[in-house]
Every structure is written in structure tokens, then in C-alpha cells.
Amino acid sequence: MALTDFTIIRRSMTARLFSTVTTVITVAVAVALMLVLLSMRDAGERAFERGSGNMHLLISRDSSPMVSVLNGVFYANAPARPIRWDEYERLTASLPLEFAVPVQLGDSYRGMPVLATTTEFFTKFRPDPVEGWSLAEGRIFEKELEVVVGATAARSTGLRVGDILYVTHGVGSAGAAAAHVHKEYAFTVVGVLKPTGSSHDRALFIDLNSTWILHAHDRRIAENRGPDSLAPLTVADIEEPDRLITGIYVRVITREGQDASAALPQVFSMLRADPSITAAAPTDQIRRLFAIVSNIDQIFVAMAAVVMVSSGIAIMLALYNSMEQRRRQIAVLRVLGCSRPRVFGLVVTESAILGVLGAALGVATAYAGGLIVAAVLKERLGLVIEPSLPLEITLVVVLATVALASAAGIIPAVMAYRTSVARSLRPIG
Amino acid sequence: MPGESDALNILGLKYRYPAADTRSAKPGWVVDVASLALKPGEQMLLTGGSGRGKSTLLYLTAGLMEPAEGEVRVAGASVGALHGAARDLFRGRHIGMIFQTFNLLQGFSAAENVMAALMFTELPPREHRVKAESLLRHLGIERFDAEPERMSVGQQQRIAVARAVACDPVLVLADEPTASLDPENAAAAMDLIQSICREKNAALLCVSHDPTMASRFSRRASLDDLRDRT
């Protein structure tokens, strides 16, 4: 094999292995930090964009549209003020809606939200604008006391089809509505969902009648109707005051294959005119939320950029320091026929290679780091973030790193370019 | 008149250190060569005390420094008329240089040091190693992949000689080639340099202040002899 420029660069790097390795690690840390921040932001935004899926509007009695979305789509809290069933029917009767799926939050199982709804939640609503629900096993609930378990909930509880569970009714730990487990009503798991990458993965789903039965049970105890009140109730025992929901997922009629609807603004303003309810457009609310959050993560990204620039300076310093030792080598190469531009190129290329190595190590680190951060977020916050490095972001960061590294090589390369052959080859002493 | 067939032709070459340089305390021309010509294969010794511009003359000849006046022609081509990369390439292909301190590339094997000189020639890359190794073998070096730092000074000088002649130069410039060697090694090194130059029909311009060198060269001059006295 003939000697090539690349051989010369490689030797130069291995001759100062410690400096090379530390420089590459410095670059890698900066790249990894930048990638994790950018991809987390991206993944976070995507995780939030999922969840509302093909719903246009969310109707609730929460104090503001933002709270309504956080509660109704992201299960932040159980809404305090319910909507009566007759109100639901009145609200949705006259509107041109593709679906109006009633949902009710307030029950839980081992800390995970239990959403009571109808089968339309699975047949009409989709958590992702494109993809619908699919089952890992079993089927959707068909009647009361049947449970469908979200993918994350299933993973953390170990619930499988056929398992029995007892739902906790109510929220909080004190007062009349304090959380209590209904041992009288054994729910059977009939289905486990595949992951959707949305907030719904953390939830369990039951039929509205199921939670209404529990409500009726509590109401009877409160009314103190005697021993017979403790007998397990059925759908037949549900009375009008039990029929409560906390939200309505609404989609206005659209043309085939289109997400936007001409009727949506009209429906939206009609609903907003009703002071007793809160109508929220989830996508708008999520956009607002990220507009608020993006200020903060812009600071993070700016900090990561500063770290990247520092790593560029580290490359420059490493090469700059090596120049004194390399003057003789450069002078010899010049004597042998190497031109000044080629010498310049050797140094810039070495700098760029340091950048490429650092970027490669950084991407690997970011991938591993992303897995760890995602695991921590899931563990601590229950936030499902798929740790993926979007190709575009990765490419941009890698290219930026290589460009930065090349730029960092310019000053040492100019030194190399200007090396005086006669002086550098003068005998020592 | 200088013939186009001359290996080296120097005419009215003058150089002085830039005014900013502290060494310009010494006034006048550092290098002042009225005329000097070497035929292909011809060997010449230039003498003169240290600091008399012997090395500078060699760097001027190789086109690594710019003269104030005058012209250097190597194999008929004016070095001064070539610029930038073209001049570097010309030097790489036609001029070999040997130094007192060898100036071998650290971290590179014996063969790689020779191949470094071939990088800038027209020889196809796949022939580089074969050529480098045969040249080293010819000069008595068998450990191609050993690093020169681990070899004796005599062997190091041989590698340096191999590197200088690897491009089959028209002209070899030797700057105090024996100053780092003991008398025995010095004699062997000079034997080698002179014989390989003869073999390759390369002209040899050797500068030295070593008095024992004189007997080796039929053509000798001191720098003072070459001065323009008009």
C-alpha cells in the first residue's frame, strides 16, 4: 500500500493518542447533549400531538381549555365538574358531528386512570390521526365489568386477558367522594391494546355503565337504604343522577379523507357561546403549551450549542498544541513535494475527522442516553417518549459538527500553511 | 553559455535576510552566486564556514526560499518561474535533499519514509512499496517496517538517502550530510551518496565544512569563490 494523505493524518492522530481520544470524547459529549435535547423535544412534542388524534374538539366543564385538554387527553387529573347525560344528548343532538364520544374520568386502578366510555372510543376515535387502535390480545369491552388495558398499563401491571381486577372509585383520600376500592365488583380483563405512543397507553378502559353502577352503589349507601343496598347492582339499577360523564370527544363531519372541516369553526363558536361548558381544540392547546415550553428548551438548545462550540475550541487547541511538534514533519513533506494547500488540507481534514469520530461516538451515546432518559421519564412521570433519533436532526447535527470541526482546524492549518521549511529543518542546537 | 542539458544552472543568485530579521545585523548578501552549473551526474563540493549561507543556497536552489535576484534552473526549468503547488511538485519530482539531522518522519516506518517521497511523483501508487523496498534493500536496509528511531544513525542516514533519490532526481542537494556521523559512518555515508547519485545519473551538490570531504570531489569551490566580483 502506498502512503496516502490519510495515512499521514492517521499517524498524526495515533502519535498523540491521548489528545486525540480526549478531543473526540469532548466532541461526542457535546453532540450527544445536543441530540438528546433536540430529539427529546421532538419526541415530547410528538408524544403530546398524539393522544388527541382525530378529535377536533374536547368538551368538558373544566375551568379552561388548557386544563380541559390536560385532563381529558393527558389524564392529568379527574375533572371535578361532570356533565349530565341529558346535557350530553342535548349538546350533541343538533350538531353535524361525525362522532361525539362520551368519556368519564374518576376511577383508577393502582394509580392508573380508568376511562369509562363507549365502544365508539375504539371504533370512531383514533389516538393517532392516521393509525387506529389495535389489540395485542383479546377484544374490546362489550358490556359492564369488562376492562380493556392500555399497552403501558398492561406492561406495568402485568395484566393479561382473563385477569380479575377491582377498580378504585373516586379520587383523593378524604371526604364523601374519597377513593375506595369496590371489592363487590370484579372486572375481567377482556383485551390488551397495542402501544399507540400516546397518553392513552397508560389508561384502562371500561364501559360507562360500569362506572355508573359503582356510582349507583355509592349513592345507595349514602341514601342508607338498608342491607339490600349492598347487594351487587346491575345496569337496571342505574338511575339518571348516576349517568355522569366528564368529557366529550368530538369530531365534526368532514369530507372523505380530509381532516379539516368547513363546519368546524361554526361548531366551535356555537359551543364556546355556551357558558356552562368549555370547548377546546386540543391541537391549538398543545401548540400553545409548546409555545410556552419552547422558550425554555430554546435556552437548553442554546446551551448545547455553546457546549458544541467549546468542543470545537478543544479541537483547535489540540491541533494548535500539536503544531510545534509537527512543524518538522510538515517541512519534510514540503521538501518532498507537498504543496502548502495540501498541508493546509491535511490539518483541516484531521480536524474534520476528529469531528466525524466525535459525532459518531456522540450519536451512539445519544441513542443510549435517549433510552435511559426515556426510561426515567416513563418511570418517574409516566410520560411515554419513544427514544428515537430522527434522521433529519441527526444529519443536521452531524453535519454541523463536521463543519464546526473543520472550521476549528483553520487556525492550526494556517500555521501549517505558513511553516517556514528552512527554519523548521534547521539542525537542533 | 548555460546549456539546456545542465542539471543545475545558477545565475546571479542573491539573497539577504529580510530587514526585520535580527540576523540582518550582518550587512550585505548572505548568498551571492554569480554563476554555477552542474552537468547531469556531476558532483561538486561547496565549502565555507558555518553561517555563511551554505544551507540558504540549497533552500534557494530547491525553491523553498525566494531569492532577491537571479535565477535557478533545474533540468532546464526555471524554479523561480514556477509558483505554488507546481513548484512543490517540480521539487518533489526532480530534486532530492539530504540533511545533517536526516529529518526522517517520526512514527513512520523505514519503507513509509521512502514512500512519502513517492507520494508526489508520477509513479502509480501500487508500485510505491516495491520501489521503496528495493531501494532500501539496495542501500543495505532490510527492516522495512521498523521505525528509523530504533535503528543506528548510519542506518537512519541510509534511509534518508533512499528517500532523497526515490524520485529519481536530476539533482541531489546534500546539507552537511555527515555532520551527525562518526568518521567511519561518515565515510560510508558519503560512499553511498556518491555512488547512488552516479548510478542514478543525478547531479550532486554537497555543502560541508568537513575538511576530509575535499578528497572525494574533483570539483570544489568555496562560497567566496562564487561571489560576483564585478
Side-chain angles (χ1 to χ4, degrees):
Chain A
M1 259 256 306
L3 207 59
T4 61
D5 287 17
F6 184 69
T7 322
I8 292 169
I9 291 166
R10 211 179 57 213
R11 290 296 159 80
S12 162
M13 289 171 69
T14 50
R16 291 167 292 107
L17 198 60
F18 182 77
S19 160
T20 303
V21 169
T22 48
T23 310
V24 166
I25 290 173
T26 309
V27 176
V29 168
V31 168
L33 181 66
M34 182 61 111
L35 279 176
V36 167
L37 275 175
L38 287 177
S39 66
M40 279 294 155
R41 181 173 69 160
D42 205 58
E45 214 163 324
R46 260 183 296 131
F48 275 100
E49 273 168 7
R50 296 189 121 145
S52 63
N54 66 340
M55 130 177 45
H56 284 145
L57 299 171
L58 176 63
I59 299 169
S60 72
R61 283 237 156 93
D62 283 305
S63 52
S64 76
M66 180 73 83
V67 173
S68 173
V69 171
L70 290 176
N71 288 345
V73 182
F74 299 107
Y75 303 93
N77 286 298
R81 287 146 64 191
I83 298 170
R84 289 195 321 275
W85 188 252
D86 61 309
E87 289 175 307
Y88 162 75
E89 285 176 328
R90 179 180 56 79
L91 276 168
T92 56
S94 57
L95 297 173
L97 302 182
E98 198 170 310
F99 64 68
V101 180
V103 295
Q104 195 239 58
L105 273 171
D107 297 331
S108 64
Y109 173 69
R110 285 166 61 178
M112 277 165 287
V114 173
L115 185 80
T117 180
T118 63
T119 51
E120 283 194 337
F121 185 83
F122 296 105
T123 54
K124 299 207 167 157
F125 169 68
R126 289 196 302 258
D128 178 278
V130 184
E131 283 169 63
W133 299 96
S134 50
L135 283 152
E137 56 173 332
R139 56 170 174 82
I140 301 301
F141 57 75
E142 285 166 358
K143 58 181 192 327
E144 61 279 9
L145 302 187
E146 288 184 343
V147 184
V148 173
V149 185
T152 312
R155 212 164 3 146
S156 54
T157 56
L159 284 172
R160 312 251 344 235
V161 168
D163 287 352
I164 301 292
L165 61 89
Y166 301 96
V167 165
T168 305
H169 189 61
V171 286
S173 53
H180 53 281
V181 178
H182 277 276
K183 284 279 180 190
E184 310 87 340
Y185 302 98
F187 284 79
T188 309
V189 176
V190 295
V192 174
L193 295 163
K194 281 189 180 166
T196 62
S198 73
S199 48
H200 303 295
D201 289 354
R202 278 193 304 127
L204 291 82
F205 306 91
I206 59 173
D207 186 73
L208 272 173
N209 280 334
S210 301
T211 191
W212 290 346
I213 288 173
L214 300 186
H215 193 271
H217 182 97
D218 288 351
R219 181 172 49 76
R220 287 196 177 201
I221 290 176
E223 289 167 359
N224 204 3
R225 289 218 198 154
D228 70 307
S229 68
L230 293 176
L233 303 179
T234 61
V235 180
D237 297 311
I238 297 170
E239 292 175 25
E240 211 41 45
D242 301 321
R243 297 180 195 271
L244 299 173
I245 58 170
T246 58
I248 310 167
Y249 285 15
V250 168
R251 182 176 173 85
V252 179
I253 288 171
T254 59
R255 279 205 208 134
E256 192 70 38
Q258 283 195 349
D259 193 53
S261 163
L264 179 56
Q266 207 183 338
V267 171
F268 196 12
S269 58
M270 269 174 69
L271 287 168
R272 269 196 297 198
D274 184 342
S276 70
I277 54 160
T278 301
T283 44
D284 291 350
Q285 297 305 319
I286 292 161
R287 215 170 291 136
R288 276 187 54 203
L289 188 66
F290 271 91
I292 298 164
V293 175
S294 72
N295 286 328
I296 301 162
D297 65 33
Q298 271 168 19
I299 293 170
F300 280 131
V301 170
M303 277 162 61
V306 169
V307 173
M308 277 190 70
V309 170
S310 307
S311 78
I313 293 171
I315 294 182
M316 193 190 75
L317 267 180
L319 290 177
Y320 185 93
N321 288 334
S322 75
M323 270 310 135
E324 278 314 312
Q325 312 158 23
R326 291 177 70 185
R327 281 192 190 282
R328 189 168 285 264
Q329 186 203 65
I330 288 161
V332 170
L333 289 173
R334 292 289 318 284
V335 166
L336 296 178
C338 192
S339 66
R340 283 176 192 272
R342 195 155 163 184
V343 165
F344 183 92
L346 282 174
V347 177
V348 170
T349 309
E350 177 171 340
S351 195
I353 289 175
L354 287 173
V356 169
L357 292 177
L361 187 62
V363 169
T365 310
Y367 185 71
L371 289 174
I372 294 165
V373 172
V376 170
L377 281 180
K378 202 187 94 192
E379 185 78 16
R380 298 266 169 86
L381 307 172
L383 193 59
V384 182
I385 282 180
E386 285 165 56
S388 65
L389 291 181
L391 190 64
E392 264 175 60
I393 289 179
T394 310
L395 266 180
V396 167
V397 171
V398 167
L399 288 178
T401 309
V402 176
L404 183 75
S406 308
I410 287 176
I411 289 177
V414 167
M415 289 168 74
Y417 184 93
R418 286 194 182 159
T419 293
S420 155
V421 176
R423 273 189 215 174
S424 304
L425 293 182
R426 203 177 284 149
I428 304 150
Chain B
M1 282 301 290
E4 283 299 303
S5 60
D6 284 345
L8 172 67
N9 213 310
I10 297 176
L11 260 181
L13 193 70
K14 288 184 178 177
Y15 178 85
R16 75 173 131 220
Y17 293 121
D21 203 306
T22 48
R23 283 163 301 183
S24 64
K26 281 184 274 181
W29 300 109
V30 180
V31 170
D32 179 359
V33 177
S35 152
L36 176 65
L38 285 182
K39 294 201 164 21
E42 196 179 6
Q43 302 191 344
M44 181 179 185
L45 178 69
L46 273 179
T47 56
S50 61
R52 302 302 297 275
K54 299 192 302 289
S55 300
T56 306
L57 173 62
L58 296 190
Y59 287 121
L60 289 168
T61 307
L64 287 162
M65 290 173 92
E66 298 297 327
E69 292 173 25
E71 189 181 35
V72 174
R73 285 180 167 272
V74 173
S78 168
V79 174
L82 294 168
H83 294 283
R87 187 194 287 184
D88 293 316
L89 216 53
F90 180 81
R91 173 174 59 255
R93 289 175 182 176
H94 302 291
I95 303 171
M97 287 185 91
I98 301 169
F99 307 90
Q100 174 191 337
T101 49
F102 318 143
N103 286 322
L104 293 171
L105 296 169
Q106 287 195 0
F108 292 79
S109 72
E112 284 167 341
N113 262 279
V114 180
M115 288 194 287
L118 296 170
M119 275 176 75
F120 309 99
T121 64
E122 284 167 311
L123 193 71
R126 61 192 146 73
E127 294 172 30
H128 286 191
R129 182 166 282 276
V130 176
K131 170 142 189 178
E133 289 183 356
S134 75
L135 193 55
L136 283 168
R137 195 178 290 117
H138 185 63
L139 296 177
I141 302 289
E142 296 285 349
R143 291 160 61 210
F144 309 130
D145 296 320
E147 294 199 359
E149 296 97 282
R150 300 181 197 284
M151 298 184 178
S152 72
V153 281
Q155 285 174 315
Q156 288 184 33
Q157 184 60 301
R158 278 189 241 175
I159 296 164
V161 171
R163 188 178 67 185
V165 300
C167 64
D168 297 318
V170 176
L171 175 67
V172 172
L173 304 169
D175 188 0
E176 304 275 12
T178 60
S180 302
L181 303 171
D182 57 67
E184 200 178 318
N185 269 318
M190 280 315 295
D191 284 345
L192 194 73
I193 291 169
Q194 290 187 289
S195 68
I196 193 91
C197 284
R198 238 170 254 130
E199 224 173 275
K200 301 229 170 218
N201 199 32
L204 172 66
L205 183 62
C206 181
V207 302
S208 175
H209 63 273
D210 179 357
T212 64
M213 293 274 246
S215 60
R216 297 182 159 271
F217 290 87
S218 52
R219 197 174 158 198
R220 297 183 293 269
S222 83
L223 276 173
D224 290 333
D225 300 339
L226 298 173
R227 277 185 184 272
D228 189 353
R229 297 184 193 285
T230 55

